[in-house]
Amino acid sequence: MDLSKAAQDELVVRAQAVRLNAYCPYSGFAVGAALLAESGRIYEGANCECASFGGTICAERAALTGAVSAGERSFTAIAVAADGSVSPCGICRQLLTEFGDMIVLSASAQGEAKKITTLSALLPDAFVKF
Ligand code: THU
């Protein structure tokens, strides 16, 4: 799995930009995600919180559901931007795994990508389609 430095940088910049649209009145923790589909299109998402906390949608799932709704099914990479940088939560790892492996970039809210790994490394021995 490989992604050029230019493509990585663009994904990170897009995740950092959409992070500013996060709706996070409860946690105050804004997250942005940018998901690169094999089509070449990039889909963005920001976290959207809910007074009933379990209804909160993470940035990664917001990006993914937008992409799937647009007809995408194959993905190359996802960048996640947050203050201090984060790795996708368990639910997001599981949902992303539905569509196969991909590169995962964890970036800070500003500046260069901090960490690069793969979804299969983050969720080894995953439960997959039955
Ligand atoms: N959050 C994300 O959007 N993505 C992650 O990878 C981790 C957590 C959001 C959910 C919630 O709105 C806030 O961050 C605090 O957990």
Side-chain angles (χ1 to χ4, degrees), residues 24 27 29 31 47-49 56-60 80 86-89:
C24 51
S27 72
F29 190 72
V31 185
N47 53 331
C48 181
E49 297 188 341
T56 290
I57 298 173
C58 291
E60 296 91 322
V80 187
V86 290
S87 189
C89 80

Side-chain angles (χ1 to χ4, degrees), residues 9-129:
D9 288 349
E10 170 159 21
L11 266 192
V12 166
V13 165
R14 296 275 290 263
Q16 289 170 334
V18 73
R19 174 181 168 275
L20 302 176
N21 295 334
Y23 175 74
C24 51
Y26 305 106
S27 72
F29 190 72
V31 185
L35 177 64
L36 175 62
E38 273 180 18
S39 66
R41 281 193 61 184
I42 293 173
Y43 297 84
E44 295 157 334
N47 53 331
C48 181
E49 297 188 341
C50 179
S52 178
F53 296 162
T56 290
I57 298 173
C58 291
E60 296 91 322
R61 278 177 290 139
L64 182 66
T65 53
V68 167
S69 301
E72 304 284 4
R73 294 292 185 271
S74 302
F75 304 98
T76 305
I78 188 165
V80 187
D83 197 9
S85 99
V86 290
S87 189
C89 80
I91 295 171
C92 290
R93 291 178 195 196
Q94 183 70 48
L95 188 63
L96 289 164
T97 296
E98 194 70 26
F99 300 94
D101 204 6
M102 66 187 80
I103 291 168
V104 179
L105 294 153
S106 293
S108 51
Q110 286 127 8
E112 299 256 313
K114 277 216 165 84
K115 198 176 102 185
I116 181 163
T117 185
T118 62
L119 189 55
S120 58
L122 292 175
L123 191 64
D125 199 18
F127 174 65
V128 287
K129 294 183 190 77

